[in-house]
Each structure stands twice: as C-alpha cells, then as structure tokens.
Amino acid sequence: MKLVTIEERPFNAETPLAEMAREITPTANFYVRSHFDMPRLDAAGHHLSVEGAIERPRAWSLSEVRSLPRHTITATLECAGNGRTRLEPPVPGVRWGFGAAGTASFAGTSLHHLLDGSGVRGSAVEALFVGADRGAVAPGRIVAFERSLPMELARHPDTLLAWEMNGEPLTVEHGAPLRLVVPRWYAVASVKWLTQVRLLEIPFSGHFQDEKYVYEREHGTPEKTPVSTMRVRAVIARPAEGTRLPRGVTEIAGTAWSGDGRVERVEVSVDGGKSWCEAALGRAVSEHAWVPWKLSWNFTAPGHCLLMARATDASGQGQPMESSWNAQGYGNNVVHQVRVEIL
C-alpha cells in the first residue's frame, strides 16, 4: 500500500489509514514530513557537532555516536498539523487528513550519553537541535530547521539519537543518517538530518520555535503557546471511508494515542454520535506507542451510517466533537468520522 502524497515538493505524504490498524507501521508506509528539500548526507563522513554551554565541545563522527550504549524504543510520531483539513475556515499549511502519524521501532543511543560525555554546564537551560535541511521562509530569509528542548526532556533516557528504524538503517525520508526521536511530543521536536546540538543559556527563539508550531487564536489556550505533547486521538483504520458493507457483523478497528497519558478508553458510535459503545482495547507494544482497539457491530438495516471514534486518556483529556480552530491548524484532535453504506 502506497503513501498518500499530499505535496510533491517538499515531499509530504500520509500513512494510509488502513495501515494504522497495525501495531508497527512499515517504514515504506510511515508518513513523511518535509519542510524543505531533503538533504542527502554521506554517512561515512557525517559528524554531529556538540557545542555551547559545555566543557568539551567537539564534532562526533557517526561511528563514535554509534559506539555509545545502544537503546531501542517503539514510539508513535504524529505531525502537529494532523487533521488540519477538518478546520473551518481553512488555515494555511500542509493539507493533512488523519494519516500524518505512524508507530515505529527506533534504535540509537540516549541523548544524555552524548551530553554526559560533553560536560554540560549548570547554566544550560535548553538543548538546540539543528537539521541539515534549510530553505526560504520569506523573501531573502533562509533558515535551517531548528528546534529546542528543555534540559530535563533532553536528558530523558528515551530521548533518542536514532540511526535505525524498524531494524534497518534510517532512510533519507526519515532523517538519515541521524535523527532525534522525542516520544509523546509532536514530531516537530524529532529533528531529522541532525548536524548540531547546541546547549543554550537562554531559551531559543527561531522560526520553527515561536513563529511556527505555536497555538494562535485558539479558544482556551494562551496565545503563542508552543505545541508540545500530542493531544489524545483515536483513528478508525477500518472500514474505510465509503465502504459498502453487507448486513451482519463487521469489525470496526483502529488505534488511539496521547502524549499526556495512557489511553484508558475508546468509544465508537455507529449513528453519528447519538449513542456510544466502548471498544475493546488491545495492548500497546510500548508505553510510547499507540494502542489498538476494536468493536464488532451487527448492522441489521440497510442505509448510510456515520461511524465515529473518540478516545480518553489517563489525564482525563478527551476529543471534541467540533474542531478547536487555531490560526496555524495545529493539534486538531476532533473526533474521527467515517461514512459507510450498509447494503
């Protein structure tokens, strides 16, 4: 099954919804988010520069990074713009449906091993990550893709410098030869094509930090709040939109995830939200991965049905029935809908 291409250049493509019933998303079907043209870096000559508020600045070769203790995590990554097409009035940005998410196994080393080897100064408040991808964001203004993390998160054991995805070397589309993986946060934090880590003594300000990837004019959210953890979401992977089903028992299935706590409940409606039935939850393959869910339903009458799915996490956060509009279209975790016809 092929990716669903949204833009050719820069290349942006969704995971097919049918693939989102899997515990692990095959690399070939894992969504791709690009802000600029993809850089093609030579792994043999690649170096990661570590500098700033540290005692021992240096450039690490890829082989030196790979010599650090190995760590593997399985994590769900999601673009902050997932679901943007459901916003009215429309907002600028990549026109994502609901497939800008995937779950994969990433192998590498915990970032803190690199930081410990560099002697981080007590004055450091953030770690800035710089990718090799760069381009114009306004006439005459060229920027690199840069994002920062607070030091506490940068030092978390599961914040990963990754060189493998699903048991194979990273592909160009997913950040080869080295990328950052930050579980539970929107994937803008998981900088690809990583070339530099800089420890900062004052918070970073940059295009992708406080101009983009912030919530603007969203009711109930302080203005310019940066996107961080993924909002709770359930997706219906099957049946697909427009499916014609025979009368009888059909399995409705999908996955659900949240950056703010374990998914505790998924509910499904087959009548457009008039009534809800709790779905059976499977077991997530890791604490950072989406959880599968399913519900068997006996369709007894012909006609059109509007299926809906909504999730609730351990923090008590749920999904809204109406989109929560904001000017850049981030974090729209509105209840997912699929229309089917019973024959």
Side-chain angles (χ1 to χ4, degrees):
M1 188 173 292
K2 295 182 179 180
L3 289 169
V4 180
T5 299
I6 307 299
E7 292 180 349
E8 289 286 354
R9 188 169 183 182
F11 183 65
N12 288 292
E14 294 190 8
T15 298
L17 286 179
E19 291 290 319
M20 296 177 75
R22 293 175 178 254
E23 290 181 337
I24 300 293
T25 311
T27 302
N29 296 131
F30 198 103
Y31 86 100
V32 176
R33 174 64 169 115
S34 309
H35 294 86
F36 308 115
D37 288 344
M38 296 180 198
R40 294 184 177 270
L41 306 176
D42 176 24
H46 188 68
H47 285 78
L48 177 64
S49 172
V50 183
E51 56 190 60
I54 59 173
E55 301 298 335
R56 295 176 292 279
R58 59 173 288 196
W60 294 67
S61 69
L62 185 59
S63 61
E64 288 174 321
V65 175
R66 290 173 64 106
S67 72
L68 296 172
R70 184 181 175 90
H71 186 47
T72 301
I73 63 171
T74 299
T76 296
L77 298 183
E78 180 185 19
C79 179
N82 201 21
R84 183 178 281 131
T85 54
R86 284 292 305 276
L87 290 177
E88 291 292 341
V91 296
V94 180
R95 307 302 296 162
W96 297 115
F98 288 90
T103 297
S105 173
F106 295 96
T109 189
S110 299
L111 174 64
H112 75 81
H113 292 306
L114 192 79
L115 300 179
D116 294 343
S118 301
V120 178
R121 294 175 185 165
S123 58
V125 296
E126 288 187 350
L128 175 67
F129 304 92
V130 183
D133 49 330
R134 59 178 52 239
V137 295
R141 185 184 178 195
I142 306 294
V143 301
F145 188 83
E146 302 173 303
R147 285 281 299 191
S148 69
L149 293 175
M151 288 304 303
E152 182 180 8
L153 183 57
R155 287 188 172 280
H156 191 284
D158 288 341
T159 298
L160 197 69
L161 292 174
W163 54 78
E164 286 182 10
M165 180 178 180
N166 290 337
E168 300 288 341
L170 282 174
T171 62
V172 172
E173 294 81 2
H174 296 294
L178 192 65
R179 71 170 298 170
L180 190 68
V181 176
V182 184
R184 297 190 174 276
W185 278 47
Y186 282 116
V188 62
S190 295
V191 177
K192 298 191 287 187
W193 308 293
L194 193 62
T195 63
Q196 185 182 114
V197 179
R198 190 184 315 147
L199 280 295
L200 306 178
E201 294 176 315
I202 59 173
F204 174 64
S205 176
H207 178 74
F208 293 104
Q209 190 84 17
D210 51 19
E211 297 176 28
K212 297 294 185 181
Y213 293 97
V214 293
Y215 294 109
E216 293 183 301
R217 290 184 280 155
E218 181 177 79
H219 179 72
T221 303
E223 189 68 1
K224 291 281 191 174
T225 297
V227 302
S228 56
T229 52
M230 298 181 294
R231 292 175 173 176
V232 62
R233 185 191 299 279
V235 168
I236 301 171
R238 62 175 187 267
E241 175 74 20
T243 299
R244 305 178 76 194
L245 300 169
R247 279 178 288 180
V249 177
T250 291
E251 184 177 83
I252 306 167
T255 46
W257 62 93
S258 174
D260 292 319
R262 182 184 68 255
V263 172
E264 291 201 330
R265 185 170 68 256
V266 172
E267 297 167 290
V268 176
S269 174
V270 299
D271 55 14
K274 297 176 183 177
S275 61
W276 296 86
C277 184
E278 191 163 340
L281 296 184
R283 178 176 294 182
V285 296
S286 88
E287 62 179 316
H288 303 311
W290 58 28
V291 59
W293 59 264
K294 60 184 179 180
L295 174 73
S296 292
W297 189 263
N298 186 19
F299 291 96
T300 58
H304 293 275
C305 290
L306 178 59
L307 312 182
M308 294 181 170
R310 65 185 184 190
T312 305
D313 67 21
S315 72
Q317 299 297 311
Q319 295 183 245
M321 292 294 291
E322 300 291 336
S323 296
S324 183
W325 190 91
N326 60 80
Q328 296 193 38
Y330 297 127
N332 179 27
N333 65 334
V334 67
V335 168
H336 189 208
Q337 303 179 6
V338 170
R339 288 175 171 80
V340 298
E341 182 183 359
I342 310 304
L343 302 179

